[in-house]
Amino acid sequence: MLEVDKLTYTYRGAEAPAVREVSFRIETGQIFGFLGPSGAGKTTVQQVMTRLLELQGGEVRYDQRPLAELGRSFFAEIGVSFEHPNLFPRLTGRENLDAFMGLYPKPHLDPVELMERVGLGDALDKKAEDYSKGMKQRLVFVRALLHRPKYLFFDEPSSGLDPATARVVMAIIREQKQRGATILLTTHDMLVADKLADTIAFLHDGVIAASDTPRALKLMHGERAVRVEHRQNGVLTSETLFLDDDDDREYLASLMANGEIETLHSQEATLDSIFVKLTGKELAA
Amino acid sequence: MSRLSSLLRLDAKLAWEHKLVHVTVVVAAVFGALLRFAVPAEFGPDLGEFGLDIEGLDALAETTAAWASVTVLEPGASKPPVNQLLVAVLYALDLCILGFMFGSVMVLQDKEHGTVRYFRVSPGTGFDYVASKLLVNLGLSLLNFTILTGFAAPLALLEPALWLLIVLVCAGMTLVGMSLSMFLRNIAQWFFPMIVVSTLLALPTYLIVVQTPALAWTWWLPSYHILFGAEAIMFEGAATAPALAALAYAAVFCALTTLTCVPAVRGRLLREAR
């Protein structure tokens, strides 16, 4: 289990903290999604948790062990996939993976198999400087997994990926969860967070605006309504019907009984719309 | 041990990919060949053609004889061959400066590529980081030394004290280069300090031509000791006072730079935030 309690961090020279009293908990084998626009403080939280930044205020505990008391062997337990790929450009993909494998205790996963899964099988012996941004992103993603870490940190794992590869990456993240890894996912892509995360937190201006399961958030902030398109006297009509309204429910039942409905869409909230509702800002901003 | 050998393989590969090995071999071979085939062993009896005023020096000796006594330390000593003397000069210029430059560049490249960031979230330690780069750099320095000396003064390769002096000074200079790069962001920022350090390191070579007290402070520079220490080992023997003094200086210099560099890497480059 991973616990963060009232984490606060202020960058040198900044007037206000980048994150203020951020608290959350990730149960073992769960995926926690940090959702927020660029500059919200997602990466700052992750960097404090991975000791790239100093813990100035609050507490972080890994399985009850305070971050400050963990020795260097702690780094063998974590895997970090950075948003900005940090690779040796003159080395091939295979060499980049081999380079740091020896730093971690065995057993390691088979790098070739993982590279093939993310579509880099043919690029294994190509120099990293010749990789596209998306390829570099995938290489960094694979590198984070090789030593089978207990805790995984993914920063924008689907950034720059085509939809098909993004699906493969998401499938691999789910597999990591199934093997028992505890995962922190930071993203501004609400679809990725919605599909993967067991719990989501909206981070806005360094503060958690809301946190719950995606379903609970949608139910809490959405409307129980459906949008119906049907023919009325030969004219296509579109109407929103509220499921908690008796008349609307009766009307909907009649439309369904008559077979007049052409399209029917539930009007549940998206994570994007909930974020806008809570913060007044767009997620992709 | 597996961590260190893994990093060692990585740094050796990077040295090859960034052509540090190629530069080392070419520079050493060119200088070695020049000393061997293009520079004469003696400049001839008429030193005046090289800008030295021999008559003036004789006259000065006559005038100073009235108030100063001159002691000839080794009356039977022969002048060392000029081309072999220049080998020691190249140790000071080439080996010292390249060790410093390669040490800095290796760290600055890690900074620029962001790979040092990944190293910070790995179980690798500051000692692993310093040791692997140091060993690779020492390999390059010894390659340089072997080729240069092999061409210009092959018999000097049989002198273990010379190897020891080279290892200690080059290790120290690599560590100085690495320590300096902790405080710089990129190679552009490093350029000016590199010029300053290189110029300083080159100063003791001036003493070969003119023995001036104004440069007595250059005794503190490692290039001074690699220059005059190597010269002493090559032409006087390893058991002489100048050679032993140079070896002692080199040992202290190497120890001090190690004591400075490892904490600098831990405290600045790989600072773990707690």
Side-chain angles (χ1 to χ4, degrees), chain A residues 22-271:
Chain A
V22 167
S23 301
F24 59 91
R25 205 163 85 157
I26 315 175
E27 299 293 337
T28 303
Q30 297 278 293
I31 301 177
F32 187 89
F34 242 144
L35 216 53
S38 301
K42 309 182 299 281
T43 304
T44 303
V45 173
Q46 181 180 305
Q47 289 186 343
V48 172
M49 293 173 74
T50 53
R51 291 223 298 232
L52 281 169
L53 290 176
E54 188 187 354
L55 180 61
Q56 295 173 343
E59 241 190 291
V60 177
R61 285 182 295 275
Y62 286 82
D63 290 323
Q64 313 293 333
R65 299 168 297 165
L67 184 65
E69 290 173 18
L70 295 173
R72 191 96 198 135
S73 60
F74 152 72
F75 291 106
E77 296 179 24
I78 65 169
V80 186
S81 174
F82 293 91
E83 182 185 4
H84 302 292
N86 37 20
L87 299 161
F88 296 106
R90 292 286 184 89
L91 301 189
T92 65
R94 188 195 303 270
E95 287 166 342
N96 263 286
L97 295 178
D98 286 344
F100 279 119
M101 286 247 278
L103 297 177
Y104 293 94
K106 290 176 181 174
H108 303 141
L109 295 177
D110 180 9
V112 178
E113 190 190 317
L114 267 174
M115 288 285 274
E116 276 169 0
R117 280 195 68 189
V118 298
L120 291 178
D122 295 337
L124 256 168
D125 296 313
K126 222 167 124 178
K127 287 197 173 171
E129 63 191 359
D130 298 326
Y131 278 29
S132 68
K133 185 177 179 269
M135 290 164 86
K136 286 179 184 167
Q137 193 74 39
R138 279 177 274 168
L139 182 57
V140 167
F141 174 77
V142 168
R143 188 179 62 182
L145 305 174
L146 288 176
H147 57 289
R148 301 169 57 87
K150 230 170 135 181
Y151 309 100
L152 275 160
F153 295 86
F154 295 118
D155 198 353
E156 305 288 357
S158 60
S159 156
L161 302 186
D162 62 86
T165 316
R167 272 198 296 278
V168 174
V169 166
M170 286 197 277
I172 294 174
I173 293 176
R174 269 191 219 102
E175 288 169 16
Q176 295 298 314
K177 175 193 161 167
Q178 278 156 13
R179 81 165 168 85
T182 305
I183 301 169
L184 179 79
L185 180 75
T186 49
T187 181
H188 66 262
D189 186 337
M190 62 113 181
L191 286 174
V192 171
D194 199 3
K195 284 181 183 167
L196 289 177
D198 298 295
T199 309
I200 278 174
F202 290 120
L203 198 65
H204 176 59
D205 286 343
V207 177
I208 290 186
S211 178
D212 213 324
T213 63
R215 180 180 157 74
L217 284 169
K218 286 179 201 168
L219 287 175
M220 197 186 305
H221 297 280
E223 287 172 325
R224 281 168 41 80
V226 288
R227 184 144 194 88
V228 182
E229 282 186 334
H230 62 98
R231 295 264 169 201
Q232 202 168 32
N233 301 323
V235 179
L236 186 66
T237 309
S238 178
E239 290 178 283
T240 300
L241 302 174
F242 293 92
L243 300 180
D244 295 326
D245 184 298
D246 290 344
D247 292 343
D248 278 5
R249 241 188 358 253
E250 204 172 304
Y251 179 49
L252 179 63
S254 71
L255 288 175
M256 292 180 84
N258 295 339
E260 292 172 347
I261 294 177
E262 292 202 352
T263 65
L264 179 68
H265 299 281
S266 69
Q267 295 298 288
E268 66 180 17
T270 62
L271 294 178

Side-chain angles (χ1 to χ4, degrees), chain B residues 94-106:
Chain B
D94 178 19
L95 280 175
C96 247
I97 294 174
L98 278 188
F100 165 76
M101 287 169 77
F102 287 172
S104 296
V105 166
M106 283 175 166

Side-chain angles (χ1 to χ4, degrees), chain A residues 47 50-55 68-70 72 75-76 78 80 82 85-91 95 98-100 102-104 127 143, chain B residues 2-4 6-7 9-10 13-14 17-19 110 113-115 117-126 128 270-274:
Chain A
Q47 289 186 343
T50 53
R51 291 223 298 232
L52 281 169
L53 290 176
E54 188 187 354
L55 180 61
E69 290 173 18
L70 295 173
R72 191 96 198 135
F75 291 106
I78 65 169
V80 186
F82 293 91
N86 37 20
L87 299 161
F88 296 106
R90 292 286 184 89
L91 301 189
E95 287 166 342
D98 286 344
F100 279 119
L103 297 177
Y104 293 94
K127 287 197 173 171
R143 188 179 62 182
Chain B
S2 115
R3 283 201 312 252
L4 181 58
S6 179
L7 284 176
R9 276 200 307 276
L10 168 67
K13 194 153 199 63
L14 289 173
E17 289 295 333
H18 289 120
K19 307 231 177 329
D110 275 358
H113 298 148
T115 42
R117 201 170 171 74
Y118 185 70
F119 188 81
R120 282 177 62 184
V121 294
S122 81
T125 64
D128 298 330
L270 307 176
R271 184 170 49 206
E272 277 178 49
R274 284 171 184 259

Side-chain angles (χ1 to χ4, degrees), chain B residues 85-100 162 165-166 168-170 172-173 176 196-208 215-232 242 246 249-250 253:
Chain B
L85 191 64
L86 286 177
V87 177
V89 174
L90 281 173
Y91 292 156
L93 293 177
D94 178 19
L95 280 175
C96 247
I97 294 174
L98 278 188
F100 165 76
L162 190 58
L165 181 69
I166 298 292
L168 290 172
V169 174
C170 288
M173 284 313 301
V176 169
V196 172
V197 172
S198 303
T199 308
L200 278 175
L201 289 173
L203 277 179
T205 57
Y206 190 69
L207 290 169
I208 294 260
L215 288 178
W217 60 270
T218 57
W219 183 92
W220 294 98
L221 299 175
S223 52
Y224 178 99
H225 294 277
I226 204 170
L227 169 59
F228 294 108
E231 190 189 311
Y249 172 94
F253 173 64

